[in-house]
Amino acid sequence: MEEVCSGLYGEGKCTYALDNALRSLGVPCALGAGRQHLVVAPTAAAEALHDAFVRKTVNRRYLCPLDLADDLPSFDFGPNKAGKFTSAELAVLLDADRLHRHFPAYELPLKDYAQFRWLVVEEEVAITASPNGRAIPFLTVNVSTDFGEIDPHVGRFPKAVEAALFFLLLAPWEDWVQYQEVNWRAFQLPWIHTVDDDLFSWPKAPQNSNTLSLQPDIVFDARGTEIDLGEKPSVLPLNDGFETMLAEYDEKAWAAVVHARATALFETPIIHFLVRAFVADGMDEIMAHMTTIEAGLGLVSDHKKALRRNRNHQNVPPRDRVAARLGALLLDPHCIAHYQQLFELRSAFVHGRGGLSLISTAQRLLARNLARRVAQNLVTAAQGFSGAREDKLEQLLDAGVGFLKPHSAW
């Protein structure tokens, strides 16, 4: 078969790719007892194998469990879905049949997964490797590569997941959660499972459901007798009525974010740092939110007067230049004092000043609130915008510098 395929498609050796493909298609000799129903008909298998050789893209699906999520309604935005899925729907999303063909003894905990909410992100990815390179990616690695190098544009999550998370994080979860002092986040994302529809790749089994947050599920009957139903997902409860407000984050809102990301206003890593704050702990969360604001409203020329094209406001220091733009962008002069106070807190941490006290819930929420509002208002400002980022920020500085004045402390 390898010789035939090499002759037909000119891809050279493809031993490992064919092995993965045949397993994915349910070659009978690789299936265990009770799995014979997973065999793909020969004609359909041949067509699928041909498609794997000639296709130019693969569909990549990311399944992200939204741990601790309350009763979130299901909704779509762009190529993404969020909400609860049935066991049957998850079987399709996880390509359960293919997993069972590769791992005959493995059983997906679909019933357990179906208890949780999920974020599902899909994208089309261009194929750049040979069939064997798709089967064993290490074969395509250039050994002269500097394996310690850092790509500053690569984040913790795949770009498609980062974009979907950014969209979700524009919602004011910090206002919707019932117990802000516990966690302003309405959900957490402990892991991501990736599913490729590329027959030549080796599928991976998702993590066990016991990696997600569970609590005892106990009820009482009419006599007061305790009945143990097992376990159920733990949740961070949300205030009543949040569903109505969440409905505003629809296809129209997603289209606005997609448009904004393509403009100069988002050429800095605003998205990266807002998402980073979501996964960060402790002071790192504050720092990431402050950096989100700086990425959105700061310029290199704030720190280098020689680079300033606008000679107005030359004596305004870098911190206050960002603060002025913040006030103008949010149309809220009061946020200037809030930003300045958070900036002093950040500086005290970075520069090791003594006497740094505990950071209150109010301060933590304020940093999140300002960063989120900056991102959301920049999305709004980007609609119909086609100019240079520096010009827009200079306009905001002109509009906001009048708000600068002495403010009270915490």
Side-chain angles (χ1 to χ4, degrees):
M1 178 177 283
E2 182 178 8
E3 291 181 3
V4 172
C5 290
S6 296
L8 285 174
Y9 304 107
E11 294 284 359
K13 287 186 174 295
C14 51
T15 307
Y16 304 114
L18 285 175
D19 181 68
N20 286 348
L22 292 176
R23 287 178 181 273
S24 293
L25 295 169
V27 61
C29 62
L31 294 174
R35 299 291 194 190
Q36 295 304 312
H37 65 285
L38 297 176
V39 174
V40 176
T43 301
E47 292 174 352
L49 190 59
H50 169 73
D51 180 68
F53 274 106
V54 301
R55 67 190 308 183
K56 303 301 180 182
T57 65
V58 297
N59 176 269
R60 185 161 296 163
R61 181 183 303 125
Y62 305 97
L63 286 96
C64 316
L66 300 180
D67 195 25
L68 299 174
D70 201 355
D71 192 15
L72 297 180
S74 297
F75 63 103
D76 299 351
F77 53 102
N80 317 301
K81 303 176 184 291
K84 199 171 185 179
F85 300 92
T86 66
S87 296
E89 289 170 334
L90 286 169
V92 174
L93 291 171
L94 290 164
D95 202 352
D97 285 349
R98 185 182 179 196
L99 284 174
H100 290 147
R101 293 181 187 118
H102 276 262
F103 312 107
Y106 176 69
E107 289 294 341
L108 269 171
L110 294 171
K111 184 178 178 181
D112 294 333
Y113 287 154
Q115 296 184 82
F116 296 89
R117 263 68 184 176
W118 294 79
L119 168 65
V120 179
V121 178
E122 297 198 25
E123 65 173 339
E124 288 293 318
V125 180
I127 294 174
T128 58
S130 66
N132 265 356
R134 290 147 66 184
I136 305 179
F138 182 76
L139 296 176
T140 64
V141 174
N142 185 344
V143 294
S144 64
T145 299
D146 177 1
F147 293 102
E149 67 183 8
I150 295 173
D151 184 342
H153 303 292
V154 174
R156 175 173 176 175
F157 300 116
K159 285 291 185 183
V161 175
E162 185 179 67
L165 272 178
F166 173 73
F167 177 76
L168 292 179
L169 291 173
L170 292 177
W173 301 105
E174 69 275 16
D175 297 332
W176 296 348
V177 295
Q178 288 187 16
Y179 306 110
Q180 295 175 324
E181 68 280 5
V182 175
N183 200 336
W184 62 262
R185 303 165 180 84
F187 54 84
Q188 295 179 346
L189 204 164
W191 46 265
I192 298 175
H193 178 68
T194 305
V195 178
D196 274 0
D197 70 348
D198 183 5
L199 288 180
F200 294 153
S201 66
W202 180 268
K204 295 181 180 178
Q207 295 193 40
N208 200 291
S209 59
N210 62 17
T211 59
L212 306 176
S213 299
L214 296 164
Q215 67 183 40
D217 188 7
I218 298 174
V219 298
F220 296 89
D221 63 15
R223 299 178 181 179
T225 303
E226 182 180 291
I227 302 175
D228 186 355
L229 299 179
E231 292 181 315
K232 63 180 179 180
S234 300
V235 301
L236 293 168
L238 297 170
N239 294 320
D240 293 338
F242 82 91
E243 299 93 342
T244 302
M245 294 176 282
L246 183 60
E248 297 177 6
Y249 294 84
D250 53 12
E251 294 288 1
K252 182 178 179 181
W254 169 255
V257 170
V258 171
H259 172 80
R261 283 166 34 207
T263 69
L265 294 184
F266 278 83
E267 65 186 16
T268 53
I270 302 167
I271 296 172
H272 170 86
F273 283 109
L274 191 69
V275 172
R276 182 64 186 169
F278 168 73
V279 298
D281 296 318
M283 192 62 191
D284 288 345
E285 175 193 316
I286 303 290
M287 297 295 289
H289 276 140
M290 293 299 290
T291 309
T292 301
I293 299 171
E294 176 70 19
L297 298 177
L299 290 169
V300 174
S301 59
D302 291 339
H303 303 271
K304 298 181 178 180
K305 291 184 178 182
L307 298 179
R308 296 176 187 170
R309 292 187 296 177
N310 185 344
R311 295 300 174 180
N312 297 328
H313 324 303
Q314 287 285 55
N315 294 326
V316 179
R319 181 202 68 172
D320 291 346
R321 296 173 78 85
V322 173
R325 295 182 188 118
L326 178 67
L329 178 70
L330 303 187
L331 299 176
D332 179 9
H334 300 291
C335 71
I336 291 179
H338 295 153
Y339 172 77
Q340 290 170 330
Q341 292 154 5
L342 287 170
F343 187 89
E344 289 305 308
L345 178 66
R346 165 219 174 262
S347 297
F349 175 74
V350 170
H351 301 298
R353 300 174 191 171
L356 185 62
S357 60
L358 295 177
I359 298 168
S360 68
T361 299
Q363 291 170 307
R364 183 182 182 188
L365 294 174
L366 182 58
R368 152 67 185 170
N369 179 269
L370 289 179
R372 176 186 60 77
R373 290 166 64 196
V374 164
Q376 180 64 77
N377 282 51
L378 285 174
V379 168
T380 302
Q383 307 311 305
F385 175 80
S386 60
R389 176 175 178 269
E390 184 174 351
D391 292 339
K392 179 64 177 179
L393 295 193
E394 289 298 346
Q395 292 172 11
L396 290 174
L397 177 61
D398 289 338
V401 75
F403 296 147
L404 296 174
K405 59 183 178 180
H407 293 281
S408 58
W410 289 106

